[in-house]
Amino acid sequence: LAKTTQPISMDSYEGQEVNITCSHNNIATNDYITWYQQFPSQGPRFIIQGYKTKVTNEVASLFIPADRKSSTLSLPRVSLSDTAVYYCLLLTGANNLFFGTGTRLTVIP
Amino acid sequence: EADIYQTPRYLVIGTGKKITLECSQTMGHDKMYWYQQDPGMELHLIHYSYGVNSTEKGDLSSESTVSRIRTEHFPLTLESARPSHTSQYLCASRLAGAAGELFFGEGSRLTVL
């Protein structure tokens, strides 16, 4: 059963770049790596997804090494509104998707 | 903007009552999920469905039941609510396949007195 491991919490000052690393040693060939953001009392929201190397969109970058056993979500120049819980998830054709504990990011003024 | 809707958003109910949490999506997604989440805690998968007439239990044991009679609709029912059922319930859906994004509803916060 593919699961992920992330730091429980991180703090960062406004304007800094934040990197959150996720370990997924048992990743399968068909798994995609997906990151979600969740604010209090809301459902998680998709941020970014990748299979290998680097993916970038308007809000984040995702770095995946060649062995795919880990991934790093990079948030450039965070603001107070980026304070949230960030989940790393392996997305497969299977039906049971596990979110884990996520990383609670606190952005400090 | 995700086209997945949950009702009610908030529900306060007495012990022993039967409740149904509604979840509907208009995206034609085959796969639908119910997660349970206590405040500040992780999401736990309690039910999922591959498609019409398909339902499975997730990793967290739950006394709730689900049905999938129509593609767009995935209601969750508690026959006799108890205080231990107090939680937030989140519905989600996605297309079949490895790379389908998971879309969440806004959640139903249930309080059982």
Side-chain angles (χ1 to χ4, degrees):
Chain A
L1 196 63
K3 291 203 174 182
T4 60
T5 303
Q6 322 173 216
I8 293 175
S9 64
M10 295 179 70
D11 295 336
S12 176
Y13 287 102
E14 260 191 306
Q16 289 190 330
E17 178 184 78
V18 171
N19 295 309
I20 305 174
T21 297
C22 177
S23 297
H24 27 81
N25 292 315
N26 296 323
I27 189 168
T29 303
N30 295 331
D31 290 348
Y32 281 74
I33 299 156
T34 310
W35 285 79
Y36 285 79
Q37 175 192 55
Q38 187 181 27
F39 297 113
S41 300
Q42 294 185 22
R45 184 177 65 177
F46 174 87
I47 302 174
I48 197 167
Q49 180 176 264
Y51 184 80
K52 61 180 179 180
T53 64
K54 177 184 174 182
V55 180
T56 297
N57 63 21
E58 63 275 10
V59 297
S61 295
L62 178 59
F63 299 92
I64 306 167
D67 65 6
R68 304 202 325 124
K69 293 185 183 299
S70 66
S71 59
T72 299
L73 174 73
S74 181
L75 304 172
R77 298 178 300 282
V78 293
S79 63
L80 296 177
S81 63
D82 292 318
T83 293
V85 178
Y86 292 83
Y87 296 95
C88 169
L89 185 69
L90 297 182
L91 199 62
T92 72
N95 292 292
N96 42 354
L97 303 178
F98 296 96
F99 273 75
T101 56
T103 298
R104 187 174 300 277
L105 173 65
T106 302
V107 180
I108 306 163
Chain B
E1 194 75 21
D3 294 322
I4 180 165
Y5 308 100
Q6 291 187 240
T7 57
R9 288 291 314 279
Y10 302 94
L11 179 64
V12 180
I13 201 165
T15 297
K17 300 292 187 182
K18 177 179 178 179
I19 64 121
T20 296
L21 304 180
E22 302 287 350
C23 177
S24 295
Q25 50 92 11
T26 58
M27 299 173 281
H29 289 170
D30 296 321
K31 298 186 176 182
M32 296 189 74
Y33 307 82
W34 276 103
Y35 289 86
Q36 183 176 344
Q37 185 179 37
D38 293 328
M41 305 298 286
E42 63 187 282
L43 290 91
H44 290 285
L45 181 67
I46 52 175
H47 297 284
Y48 59 94
S49 168
Y50 309 171
V52 172
N53 294 326
S54 155
T55 61
E56 298 288 341
K57 290 189 179 294
D59 63 326
L60 180 68
S61 176
S62 174
E63 294 167 345
S64 60
T65 59
V66 292
S67 62
R68 190 89 183 275
I69 299 172
R70 303 197 317 264
T71 298
E72 63 271 21
H73 196 213
F74 191 41
L76 180 146
T77 298
L78 277 165
E79 290 293 334
S80 179
R82 294 206 300 268
S84 61
H85 296 139
T86 294
S87 190
Q88 172 155 266
Y89 294 84
L90 290 157
C91 180
S93 72
R94 70 178 180 114
L95 283 171
E101 178 183 337
L102 194 61
F103 292 91
F104 277 85
E106 293 192 6
S108 294
R109 183 167 296 282
L110 172 66
T111 301
V112 183
L113 303 176

